[in-house]
Amino acid sequence: MPEGIEIEIYRQAGEAGLHRTIERIEADDEWFLKDGTTAEALHEALIGEQFSAARRIGKLMIYDVTSGARLGLRYGMTGRLIVDESAAIGYLEYSSQRDDPAWDRFVVHFADGGALRIRDPRRLGGVALDPNESALGADAFTVTLGQLRDRVFVGTVPLKARLLDQARIAGIGNLIADETLWRAGIDPARAANSLEAKDEKRFLTHLRAVLADFMRDGGSHTGRLQPARTRGGQCPKDGEELLRREIGGRTTFSCPRHQR
DNA sequence: CTCGACTCCTGTTAGC
DNA sequence: TGCTAACAGGAGTCGA
């Protein structure tokens, strides 16, 4: 599913939409418009304007608009960005492998004939004008050890749940969390504030490596743990049968032998 | 402020 | 073969 990795890939692809005049939009799915955003307001903010920058914080993609507005795009777990009919990502874990134009929930048509569309089968994504960027924690790609200590490694909540809290660190989804904790050898159920200093540093080292690997390999489904994330799956490191639990409301796989 | 439980969405898949 | 129920997880809401 789209995590920070996929959104960054979408953002890069979305740069093809910069500096092109917006002629028309399709925003007919009211469910997909969030935070009180209306089709009328989108028209007002976008028609005749251009995108001047494509940014990303965590899983939120933001287009700056020449009108002064900002356009926030969220992809839920099955949304894709398609620019000029070419999809930024060909494969999404847990999404349909079919490709149906009926799943277009929001479309921007440029005057040059091209288009930018969010194709989202399950409609878990959304579009909002002027999203609240300050509600998000530091982005996972650039987070520092100090920021982790201030906002993530605190409290007695399970660490896995903390990592999924976008207000504390933005961009980590279920697969990045499981892969990072698995590589770092940390039990996802451990209290967020229970790590020793060397564990905290090791976590950040592995987080950076996971993000780099996932970017290089093309998605958050490319982890070494991923093939074993199934009932009865075995740890790729030591062969132990993986634990399957629900932590932070998400299915969590971990190795009972080397994750402590 | 914190935190767990609940809800929403719908295509796919496991199981009968 | 055809149906149903479970499942996936990002994100918002609500109540304690």
Side-chain angles (χ1 to χ4, degrees):
Chain A
M1 78 297 313
E3 303 186 17
I5 297 289
E6 281 75 15
I7 312 307
E8 175 58 22
I9 294 171
Y10 292 154
R11 188 200 66 75
Q12 292 174 13
E15 292 194 325
L18 298 181
H19 316 305
R20 297 163 69 178
T21 299
I22 298 165
E23 182 176 79
R24 180 168 67 89
I25 64 172
E26 297 174 50
D28 308 317
D29 187 347
E30 276 187 43
W31 161 260
F32 213 69
L33 307 183
K34 306 298 184 183
D35 301 339
T37 298
T38 63
E40 292 69 31
L42 285 167
H43 277 92
E44 181 67 26
L46 298 179
I47 303 302
E49 306 286 342
Q50 299 185 350
F51 296 133
S52 56
R55 299 183 290 117
R56 180 193 60 80
I57 304 175
K59 302 170 192 170
L60 174 67
M61 177 170 157
I62 305 141
Y63 272 121
D64 292 329
V65 187
T66 47
S67 62
R70 291 172 297 115
L71 179 67
L73 305 178
R74 291 191 173 281
Y75 297 89
M77 69 179 275
T78 57
R80 301 160 186 254
L81 180 69
I82 298 174
V83 188
D84 299 331
E85 310 310 320
S86 116
I89 280 189
Y91 177 84
L92 269 188
E93 190 81 11
Y94 306 126
S95 186
S96 171
Q97 298 313 304
R98 287 195 294 128
D99 205 18
D100 190 336
W103 297 332
D104 287 352
R105 311 301 180 187
F106 177 72
V107 186
V108 173
H109 292 276
F110 298 109
D112 59 26
L116 180 151
R117 53 192 77 225
I118 295 186
R119 189 164 290 176
D120 182 2
R122 296 183 208 177
R123 299 168 79 208
L124 284 164
V127 172
L129 279 173
D130 301 323
N132 180 8
E133 300 178 29
S134 65
L136 294 168
D139 185 77
F141 281 82
T142 53
V143 71
T144 65
L145 188 58
Q147 287 170 326
L148 285 176
R149 284 176 172 153
D150 285 347
R151 295 287 292 160
V152 176
F153 298 136
V154 292
T156 56
V157 175
L159 178 56
K160 166 72 178 281
R162 268 282 183 272
L163 294 173
L164 298 178
D165 184 346
Q166 303 300 302
R168 294 180 176 273
I169 179 170
I172 296 181
N174 204 34
L175 301 186
I176 294 175
D178 274 13
E179 177 81 11
T180 302
L181 292 169
W182 176 78
R183 288 197 196 182
I186 299 170
D187 183 346
R190 273 181 66 172
N193 66 1
S194 71
L195 274 62
E196 295 176 27
K198 63 175 171 52
D199 296 328
E200 295 176 343
K201 291 178 93 166
R202 194 172 71 252
F203 173 86
L204 180 55
T205 299
H206 283 286
L207 174 63
R208 288 171 174 161
V210 165
L211 294 174
D213 288 353
F214 283 8
M215 280 302 293
R216 182 196 63 216
D217 295 335
S220 53
H221 63 285
T222 59
R224 282 185 280 154
L225 178 65
Q226 183 65 23
R229 293 183 89 263
T230 169
R231 289 177 195 272
Q234 295 177 339
C235 175
K237 277 188 183 175
D238 54 36
E240 189 82 7
E241 183 168 333
L242 295 175
L243 274 178
R244 181 185 191 274
R245 292 175 288 184
E246 182 163 303
I247 300 176
R250 293 294 166 260
T251 302
T252 299
F253 286 89
S254 64
C255 175
R257 181 178 299 181
H258 85 266
Q259 288 182 256
R260 303 251 162 222

